[in-house]
């Protein structure tokens, strides 16, 4: 009996690696500390009522943001471990298997569990406020989306201490991801972790399309909508077409591994190239899904800090919607070398080049907006300015990769790695940092320390160029991606060492940001104005942080930058716009079902990962019961009475200077 328990424990827990052992001990200590603090301060009830069962879009947005920052730490540690391994020739800091696992989890975490939740966090905290709505269209579904993402991410992350991480790359190409080449359970964690969180992402896309199209304030026609909300709409259109492809692809891979199907194996007529086509039909639009909202952030930030109306509003809208659609016609440039023939390669080369045109349009719009503007270089604006040259280089190298004959040389080289990070860090990370700094006062009611923020900014930017510029040259010198180690005589050592130093500078920048947040919480500089940046859009017209109901009276929109125009008219001596009477506000009630149902999804996924049907089947039955329970729930909403709204507004006005 004891031998069976030992055998099971040795398979269940990952052992034998001191780095992973350290992580296991750290996780155990952190869990005990969290449980102790919540118990000691009697906060379990508060956690349940205020957060776990909340359907308030602002709280859900905050939870998304917290998760994304934690995942940035995890993915960043993975990146630094890889850079340490490659810093010098013939290094054996990591075992080869561990290195494969780390570059797999780094890619998945940064794209799906860091960039996506940071994006969804901004969606949640900004879009309803910006379009003058009191909530999202489906608050219950919004909560369910978050918890599906959360438990999917937890299922994927737990693999590095339980069972073993996936190691077939972040897109898990067959045959590496098939049972024949990955007989362990790491790939099962990959399939179910992404599958569960991906369903949540698809639901979020549907939710925000409906929210934007149906819940805008009176008078806010589409062509008067703030640019960030336009970018969210463009991104969500791509989500609802791209994520079903991912769901089906992972389901087919699951059937291959669990039921012996042969969709992606050469045996019995399967074809691994079909997987590669399908995964990139999702994978390349995914890049634009995460970068489009960043374009919206930059547009709002540039207009605010240049104190000018955004140049070329209509062309910006056209550019973003064009990218959203055209992103589905570029996937094949990821494998020009597969042998489809010149005509197919030419088609996808041209479509890839064409997508650079609307991207270039936006760059010129931002530059012309800044031209003769009264620019203030606060941290959101600094991130925006830093983005432009970075993204231009990333775009130019992307055009180089779109040239099919040249791509035969660049394919799978470190040149591609440098380009990929240039676009995603320069576009997505810089963009969401700009958005986070910009909307932080609106989200939390206090500003972040600007001095520490600028230290973090410079370390990030210097570290970025020190890290990734050498990688272009490494690619041209022949270094391929997924390289574990190399000999002295390759001549790659000095550039890899420089690149590693750059990586650690970015790690130092992250520590500055953690210090910045901690310092700002301790020495809180409250935003008593509700409009600390002299903003232009509706979210700045209400106190910070926004009340539960967002707007006591829904605003009547007359212009594109309606809040800015209102301030201009008031400054010119015009009377303020008349507001309607305060009426009871209809709001959704909290619900435990999203949390419980998503937790059951976690157990179902965990059961399928280990092939434990005794766990998976009851969990699936529980999911069905949750759906029935929701179908028969009739007490799902309530009204905030007028007196309570008046008291809240009076309290906020007293707190506002």
């Amino acid at each position: 009996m004891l031998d069976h328990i030992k055998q099971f424990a040795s398979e269940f827990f990952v052992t034998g690696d001191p780095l992973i052992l350290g992580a296991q001990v750290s996780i155990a200590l952190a869990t005990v500390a969290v449980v102790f603090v919540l118990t000691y301060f009697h906060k379990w009830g508060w956690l349940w009522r205020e957060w776990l069962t909340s359907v308030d879009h602002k709280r859900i947005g905050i939870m998304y943001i917290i998760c994304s920052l934690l995942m940035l730490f995890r993915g960043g540690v993975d990146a630094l471990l890889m850079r340490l391994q490659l810093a010098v020739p013939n290094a054996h800091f990591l075992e080869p298997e561990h290195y494969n696992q780390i570059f797999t989890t780094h890619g998945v975490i940064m794209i799906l569990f860091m960039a996506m939740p940071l994006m969804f966090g901004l969606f949640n905290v900004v879009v309803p406020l910006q379009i003058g709505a009191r909530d999202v269209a489906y608050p219950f579904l919004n909560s369910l989306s978050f918890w599906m993402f959360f438990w999917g991410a937890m299922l994927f992350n737990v693999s590095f201490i339980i069972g073993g991480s996936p190691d077939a790359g972040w897109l898990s190409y067959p045959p590496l991801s098939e049972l024949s080449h990955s007989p362990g359970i790491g790939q099962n964690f990959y399939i179910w972790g992404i599958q569960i969180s991906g369903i949540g992402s698809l639901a979020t896309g549907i939710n925000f399309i409906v929210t934007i199209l149906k819940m805008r304030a009176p008078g806010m026609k589409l062509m008067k909508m703030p640019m960030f909300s336009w970018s969210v709409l463009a991104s969500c259109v791509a989500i609802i077409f791209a994520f079903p492809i991912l769901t089906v692809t992972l389901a087919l891979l699951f059937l291959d591994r669990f039921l012996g199907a042969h969709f992606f194996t050469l045996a019995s007529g399967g074809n691994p190239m079909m997987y590669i086509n399908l995964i990139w039909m999702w994978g390349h639009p995914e890049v634009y899904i995460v970068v489009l909202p960043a374009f919206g952030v930059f547009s709002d930030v540039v207009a605010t800090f240049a104190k000018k109306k955004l140049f070329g509003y209509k062309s910006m809208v056209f550019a973003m919607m064009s990218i959203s659609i055209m992103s589905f016609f570029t996937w094949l440039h990821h494998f020009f070398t597969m042998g489809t023939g010149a005509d197919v390669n030419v088609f996808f080369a041209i479509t890839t080049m064409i997508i650079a045109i609307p991207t270039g349009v936006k760059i010129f719009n931002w530059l012309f907006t800044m031209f003769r503007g009264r620019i203030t270089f606060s941290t959101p604006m600094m991130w925006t300015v830093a983005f432009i040259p970075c993204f231009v280089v990333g775009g130019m190298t992307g055009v180089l990769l779109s040239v099919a004959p040249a791509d035969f040389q660049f394919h799978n080289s470190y040149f591609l790695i440098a380009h990929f990070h240039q676009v995603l860090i320069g576009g997505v990370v810089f963009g969401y940092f700009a958005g986070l700094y910009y909307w932080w006062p609106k989200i939390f009611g206090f500003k972040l320390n600007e001095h520490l923020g600028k230290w973090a900014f410079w370390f990030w930017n210097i570290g970025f160029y020190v890290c990734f510029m050498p990688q272009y040259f490494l690619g041209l010198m022949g270094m391929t991606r997924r390289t574990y180690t190399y000999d002295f005589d390759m001549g790659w050592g000095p550039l890899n060492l420089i690149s590693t130093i750059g990586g650690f500078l970015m790690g130092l920048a992250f520590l500055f940001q953690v210090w910045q947040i901690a310092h700002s919480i301790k020495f809180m500089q409250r935003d008593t104005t509700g409009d600390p940046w002299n903003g232009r859009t509706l979210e700045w017209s209400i106190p910070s942080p926004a009340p539960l109901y967002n707007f006591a009276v829904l605003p009547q929109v007359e212009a594109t930058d309606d809040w800015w125009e209102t301030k201009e008219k008031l400054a010119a001596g015009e009377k303020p716009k008349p507001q309607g009477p305060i009426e009871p506000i209809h709001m959704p009630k909290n619900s435990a079902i999203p949390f419980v149902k998503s937790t059951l999804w976690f157990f179902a996924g965990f059961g399928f990962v280990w092939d434990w049907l005794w766990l998976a089947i009851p969990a699936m039955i529980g999911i069905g019961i949750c759906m029935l329970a929701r179908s028969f729930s009739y007490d799902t909403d309530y009204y905030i009475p007028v007196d309570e709204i008046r008291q809240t507004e009076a309290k906020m006005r007293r707190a506002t200077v």
Side-chain angles (χ1 to χ4, degrees):
M1 180 68 178
L2 185 60
D3 290 338
H4 286 296
I5 294 174
K6 286 182 178 178
Q7 175 68 25
F8 170 75
S10 66
E11 294 175 358
F12 190 78
F13 293 107
V14 179
T15 57
D17 190 311
L19 290 173
I20 294 178
L21 177 62
Q24 289 168 331
V25 172
S26 301
I27 291 170
L29 292 176
T31 304
V32 170
V34 170
V35 170
F36 174 78
V37 168
L38 289 171
T39 306
Y40 185 80
F41 291 102
H42 305 289
K43 289 294 183 182
W44 286 105
W46 164 82
L47 182 67
W48 179 259
R49 289 188 304 274
E50 301 294 327
W51 295 96
L52 300 186
T53 60
S54 175
V55 295
D56 180 4
H57 67 93
K58 299 179 287 294
R59 288 180 185 269
I60 290 171
I62 290 171
M63 289 191 286
Y64 268 122
I65 291 169
I66 292 172
C67 288
S68 70
L69 295 179
L70 291 174
M71 290 296 102
L72 177 61
F73 171 76
R74 162 77 204 278
V77 170
D78 283 347
L80 294 182
L81 291 175
M82 282 190 288
R83 286 313 321 164
L84 278 175
Q85 168 62 28
L86 295 171
V88 294
N90 290 325
H92 295 284
F93 169 67
L94 297 173
E95 295 297 322
E97 295 78 9
H98 194 188
Y99 182 79
N100 288 346
Q101 293 172 353
I102 284 178
F103 77 65
T104 299
T105 55
H106 168 74
V108 173
I109 286 172
M110 285 304 201
I111 294 289
L112 291 170
F113 300 133
M114 190 284 287
M116 291 289 282
L118 192 49
M119 178 180 84
F120 289 152
L122 292 178
F123 284 14
N124 270 281
V125 296
V126 176
V127 170
L129 302 181
Q130 205 167 58
I131 63 173
R134 291 204 170 103
D135 210 328
V136 295
Y138 308 116
F140 176 89
L141 184 65
N142 198 30
S143 174
L144 182 64
S145 300
F146 168 74
W147 288 113
M148 292 287 281
F149 149 75
F150 176 82
W151 285 116
M154 290 302 102
L155 185 61
F156 182 85
N157 274 274
V158 79
S159 66
F160 89 104
I161 57 171
I162 294 177
S165 299
D167 58 359
W170 81 279
L171 289 173
S172 282
Y173 289 169
L176 283 177
S177 55
E178 292 281 0
L179 206 56
S180 57
H181 289 68
S182 293
I185 63 168
Q187 281 309 123
N188 301 346
F189 276 116
Y190 176 93
I191 291 171
W192 283 101
I194 295 177
Q195 193 71 290
I196 292 171
S197 66
I199 294 170
S201 300
L202 178 60
T204 299
I206 295 168
N207 206 346
F208 276 88
I209 286 179
V210 179
T211 300
I212 291 170
L213 294 182
K214 301 296 289 185
M215 297 185 70
R216 299 189 310 281
M220 183 182 279
K221 297 179 179 177
L222 278 175
M223 294 310 286
K224 290 181 181 175
M225 197 163 65
M227 197 50 67
F228 179 71
S229 295
W230 260 116
S231 70
V232 172
L233 180 62
S235 176
C236 289
V237 167
I239 285 175
I240 63 169
F241 287 105
F243 270 77
I245 303 174
L246 176 67
T247 303
V248 171
T249 307
L250 292 178
L252 296 178
L253 185 60
F254 167 72
L255 293 176
D256 271 12
R257 289 181 59 86
F258 281 74
L259 299 179
H262 295 283
F263 290 104
F264 305 128
T265 60
L266 288 174
S268 304
N271 188 346
M273 282 311 302
M274 185 169 74
Y275 179 93
I276 296 174
N277 275 283
L278 286 171
I279 202 73
W280 278 116
M281 284 180 192
W282 159 79
H284 199 79
E286 167 65 8
V287 175
Y288 291 100
I289 285 169
V290 292
V291 82
L292 277 168
F295 295 158
V297 172
F298 294 133
S299 300
D300 283 2
V301 168
V302 163
T304 296
F305 289 93
K307 299 179 180 61
K308 283 178 63 183
K309 183 174 285 189
L310 182 70
F311 181 87
Y313 176 95
K314 291 182 180 177
S315 64
M316 189 72 86
V317 171
F318 179 76
M320 286 197 290
M321 296 308 291
S322 301
I323 291 172
S324 175
I325 296 168
M326 290 164 60
S327 65
F328 287 92
F329 297 96
T330 59
W331 85 86
L332 196 130
H333 71 228
H334 289 273
F335 41 93
F336 279 139
T337 56
M338 77 172 180
T340 49
D343 48 352
V344 175
N345 283 358
V346 165
F347 175 81
F348 283 94
I350 291 173
T351 53
T352 303
M353 292 175 193
I354 287 175
I355 208 168
I357 297 172
T359 305
V361 167
K362 294 194 300 300
I363 297 286
F364 284 110
N365 283 350
W366 293 319
L367 292 175
F368 282 123
T369 304
M370 284 188 269
F371 181 64
R372 292 183 176 174
R374 290 168 290 151
I375 299 174
T376 306
F377 283 100
S378 297
T379 43
M381 188 63 179
M382 290 175 68
W383 283 104
T384 302
V385 172
F387 148 81
I388 292 177
C390 186
F391 201 74
V392 167
V393 174
M396 290 170 62
T397 51
V399 173
L400 287 177
L401 288 165
S402 73
V403 180
D407 189 75
F408 273 66
Q409 293 299 316
F410 299 134
H411 188 72
N412 273 346
S413 73
Y414 244 65
F415 188 93
L416 176 63
I417 298 295
H419 158 74
F420 185 68
H421 285 84
Q422 181 110 34
V423 173
L424 282 178
I425 293 181
V428 178
V429 178
F430 284 16
Y432 293 156
F433 281 170
L436 206 52
Y437 282 107
Y438 182 54
W439 282 301
W440 187 279
K442 183 56 60 184
I443 300 169
F444 296 103
F446 64 93
K447 293 179 71 173
L448 287 171
N449 182 283
E450 282 280 299
H451 180 70
L452 290 172
K454 288 175 180 174
W455 273 99
F457 168 85
W458 285 112
F459 272 107
W460 259 107
N461 275 269
I462 294 170
F464 172 83
Y465 286 102
V466 173
C467 182
F468 293 105
M469 289 302 110
Q471 294 184 9
Y472 284 113
F473 296 99
L474 285 167
L476 295 174
M477 292 165 69
M479 183 170 169
T480 58
R481 65 195 303 190
R482 309 185 186 99
T483 295
Y484 166 65
T485 190
Y486 51 90
D487 289 330
F488 284 95
D489 56 4
M490 302 301 289
W492 301 341
L495 288 175
N496 268 306
L497 181 60
I498 293 170
S499 181
T500 300
I501 292 170
F504 275 85
L505 287 176
M506 287 193 285
L508 192 58
F510 180 76
L511 294 181
F512 265 103
Q513 289 176 310
V514 174
W515 181 16
Q516 181 189 16
I517 293 172
H519 182 279
S520 303
I521 292 173
K522 185 176 181 181
F523 303 101
M524 195 169 286
Q525 184 186 351
R526 288 195 177 279
D527 170 31
T528 57
T529 66
D531 188 10
W533 309 116
N534 196 14
R536 308 178 70 87
T537 41
L538 286 179
E539 71 269 30
W540 304 110
S541 67
I542 56 177
S544 302
L548 175 64
Y549 46 79
N550 295 349
F551 297 89
V553 177
L554 289 181
Q556 179 69 43
V557 175
E558 297 174 354
T560 304
D561 290 337
D562 194 72
W563 175 234
W564 176 267
E565 297 294 337
T566 300
K567 289 188 290 186
E568 291 288 296
K569 289 176 182 176
L570 290 175
E574 290 189 23
K575 292 182 179 179
K577 286 186 285 189
Q579 288 190 325
I582 295 178
E583 297 177 346
I585 296 175
H586 182 226
M587 297 295 290
K589 279 186 175 178
N590 284 5
S591 174
I593 293 177
F595 178 79
V596 173
K597 185 178 173 184
S598 304
T599 307
L600 289 169
W601 266 112
F602 173 85
F603 285 115
F606 198 79
F608 284 121
V609 165
W610 288 89
D611 202 11
W612 291 349
L613 295 183
W614 58 266
L615 177 62
I617 291 175
M620 294 299 290
I621 293 172
I623 291 166
I625 292 172
C626 285
M627 295 171 71
L628 280 174
R630 177 62 183 176
S631 300
F632 290 98
S633 297
Y634 300 107
D635 185 21
T636 58
D637 52 3
Y638 70 106
Y639 281 87
I640 302 176
V642 172
D643 287 346
E644 185 178 333
I645 300 168
R646 290 188 195 282
Q647 289 172 8
T648 305
E649 291 294 306
K651 183 180 177 183
M652 288 184 165
R653 276 198 295 272
R654 283 196 298 273
T656 302
V657 177

